[in-house]
Amino acid sequence: MKKTAFLMIGLILIVGVPLISQNKSKHTKSVRTTLVDLHRVDSSIIASGNLIHKDRVELRAEVIGKVVEIFVKEGDQVKAGQLLMRIDDEQYKARVNQQSAQVSRQKSELSSLFLDLEIATRQWQRQQKLFKQGLSTQSQHDEAHYRKASAELKLESGKSALAHSKALLEETQETLNKTRISAPIDGVLTSLDVAIGETVVSGTMNMIGSSIMTISNENSLVTEVYVDEADAAALVIGLPVEVFVIASPNTPLKGRVSFIANTAKRRPGRNNLSFAVEIALDDVSHSFLRPGMSCRAEIFTNKLDSVLALPLSAIMFSEAESKYYVFVNDNGTAKKVSVKVGTSDDQMQQMISGVTQGQQVLVGPAKILRRLSHGDSISLIESKKL
């Protein structure tokens, strides 16, 4: 009987040891850690947009007519004053000739009116002398006066008509000149929007004129991006920027914020209001840069070197306490520590207080950290210094 009892106790002890061991293993959480250390933290704003030429002129038709000659092609270098295109000008030449003839005719009429006034003035002067001598009647005297006054009025009217005709001649001549399209600035022809034989139309109050071509200053290439209104408060002129264009996504282009729009606008394809921001690039000589290219810009609003920081995955927030906290490895036990955070980027968060350099902080797995409690037993999967 005693022998049987000893055997039973032995079996319980043998079976109980692995059960206790398994129970302990079940409540120990396997975690990854990192050491609190000094890092560089670059707070930034990400925005998207396009490359544009800041100095560019878009030429539009100012007259109606058919394009008869084009002297340049897209990509050509042009000089200010260079003739680029000609629109059919026959009807405008006819108007100029017609108005020029009108001016000549009115000049001749004006000469005749000057002569009429001169004759009327002499007759009036003669009648004045005769009237004073009693050799002319009051009626004759008044008639000479009226003829002189009438000649003066006709002369003034003729002058006004001539001035009006000259103004119309200048207007028709200016319209004729608009059939010859010349470059207003030095630059490169970045867009040619018409072909020979096409008819272009001038703008009206309700419609802009036909787009003809665009001339741009090659050295004025900038990046135009749109920053969400929520991030606009952090923007100032001169902030450093890295721009990545779609043609070379792994080549960061250095630049600085050169312009910030005063008014937020709703852009096509965007739900929120945004501010237009121009970025001046340090180097625009890269062969892959073309206006209109899509690009992404990282605007650095704050750069901190050698500050205590932790990966974002290590930091959690308690809504009940309205505090940030981390878990520190305290000799195999998870210790919950409240922390004060500062600037962050897309990887690291500055630690202002709560932890010290060299402390071992838990960084994952995320599903473990979310359910971890102060005082839980932990075992390390790996420990590394970032």
Side-chain angles (χ1 to χ4, degrees):
M1 182 70 179
K2 290 182 179 179
K3 185 175 181 181
T4 304
F6 280 121
L7 287 173
M8 291 296 294
I9 292 171
L11 287 172
I12 291 170
L13 290 174
I14 293 170
V15 173
V17 170
L19 287 176
I20 293 171
S21 178
Q22 288 177 9
N23 188 54
K24 182 178 180 181
S25 176
K26 182 178 180 180
H27 289 88
T28 300
K29 310 293 176 63
S30 297
V31 296
R32 292 192 300 271
T33 64
T34 189
L35 298 180
V36 180
D37 207 346
L38 299 177
H39 295 275
R40 175 173 175 169
V41 180
D42 295 337
S43 180
S44 63
I45 297 171
I46 304 298
S48 60
N50 304 89
L51 295 178
I52 64 169
H53 280 121
K54 185 176 181 180
D55 299 333
R56 65 186 187 278
V57 179
E58 185 179 1
L59 303 180
R60 293 187 174 275
E62 296 183 82
V63 295
I64 300 174
K66 183 181 293 185
V67 177
V68 293
E69 287 183 294
I70 299 176
F71 305 106
V72 290
K73 62 182 182 298
E74 193 169 306
D76 283 356
Q77 293 282 344
V78 298
K79 294 289 184 180
Q82 178 181 341
L83 182 62
L84 309 175
M85 179 185 298
R86 193 171 67 82
I87 298 171
D88 185 16
D89 58 4
E90 291 302 318
Q91 60 175 323
Y92 301 107
K93 283 182 178 179
R95 292 176 187 175
V96 168
N97 293 335
Q98 182 181 3
Q99 196 59 41
S100 180
Q102 178 71 8
V103 169
S104 297
R105 184 166 56 253
Q106 288 184 331
K107 283 182 178 180
S108 298
E109 291 178 357
L110 193 62
S111 297
S112 177
L113 292 174
F114 269 113
L115 183 58
D116 291 344
L117 177 59
E118 184 178 352
I119 294 171
T121 301
R122 289 177 182 177
Q123 289 177 348
W124 158 244
Q125 291 171 345
R126 186 164 51 252
Q127 282 296 328
Q128 278 186 313
K129 292 178 182 179
L130 292 174
F131 183 73
K132 289 178 181 180
Q133 295 173 1
L135 301 176
S136 175
T137 64
Q138 183 68 45
S139 176
Q140 290 173 323
H141 177 271
D142 292 345
E143 185 180 352
H145 173 70
Y146 294 146
R147 282 199 299 268
K148 175 179 175 294
S150 177
E152 288 174 342
L153 289 174
K154 288 181 180 180
L155 179 61
E156 291 304 316
S157 178
K159 288 180 179 179
S160 296
L162 179 59
H164 179 66
S165 293
K166 285 183 176 180
L168 288 178
L169 177 59
E170 290 179 2
E171 183 179 337
T172 54
Q173 183 63 56
E174 184 178 350
T175 302
L176 173 62
N177 293 339
K178 290 177 181 178
T179 63
R180 298 170 65 85
I181 311 299
S182 299
I185 61 170
D186 292 349
V188 62
L189 191 67
T190 52
S191 174
L192 181 59
D193 305 318
V194 295
I196 293 176
E198 291 186 14
T199 297
V200 295
V201 296
S202 56
T204 64
M205 292 182 62
N206 300 319
M207 182 182 69
I208 60 176
S210 301
S211 177
I212 295 176
M213 61 183 69
T214 301
I215 300 173
S216 306
N217 179 354
E218 287 182 294
N219 297 321
S220 69
L221 194 67
V222 298
T223 302
E224 183 180 60
V225 297
Y226 302 103
V227 175
D228 191 272
E229 59 181 330
D231 298 321
L235 294 174
V236 293
I237 299 296
L239 285 176
V241 185
E242 286 188 353
V243 176
F244 299 85
V245 298
I246 194 168
S248 184
N250 297 320
T251 305
L253 304 175
K254 304 292 184 180
R256 292 192 175 273
V257 173
S258 58
F259 170 79
I260 304 169
N262 290 322
T263 305
K265 295 183 180 180
R266 197 175 303 279
R267 305 289 172 179
R270 296 173 183 258
N271 295 325
N272 299 330
L273 292 173
S274 58
F275 287 84
V277 176
E278 281 185 9
I279 299 163
L281 299 174
D282 294 343
D283 184 5
V284 295
S285 63
H286 299 282
S287 59
F288 58 80
L289 296 180
R290 294 288 187 277
M293 280 184 173
S294 300
C295 60
R296 175 178 61 86
E298 185 172 6
I299 305 171
F300 297 101
T301 55
N302 194 10
K303 286 193 172 187
L304 300 176
D305 288 319
S306 298
V307 295
L308 287 180
L310 283 171
L312 296 176
S313 60
I315 303 160
M316 286 160 286
F317 182 75
S318 171
E319 294 185 359
E321 300 174 321
S322 294
K323 291 181 179 179
Y324 290 96
Y325 65 92
V326 298
F327 283 106
V328 175
N329 180 15
D330 185 16
N331 295 320
T333 301
K335 180 180 178 182
K336 185 177 179 180
V337 177
S338 296
V339 294
K340 184 177 180 180
V341 301
T343 299
S344 66
D345 56 24
D346 57 351
Q347 292 183 334
M348 306 297 290
Q349 176 87 56
Q350 179 191 10
M351 308 306 296
I352 296 177
S353 64
V355 292
T356 58
Q357 187 173 4
Q359 278 189 294
Q360 200 173 41
V361 175
L362 280 60
V363 294
K367 63 181 180 180
I368 298 295
L369 292 186
R370 283 197 298 268
R371 299 176 182 177
L372 199 63
S373 298
H374 179 78
D376 284 352
S377 296
I378 57 174
S379 62
L380 304 185
I381 297 175
E382 60 177 320
S383 180
K384 62 180 181 179
K385 179 179 178 180
L386 296 183

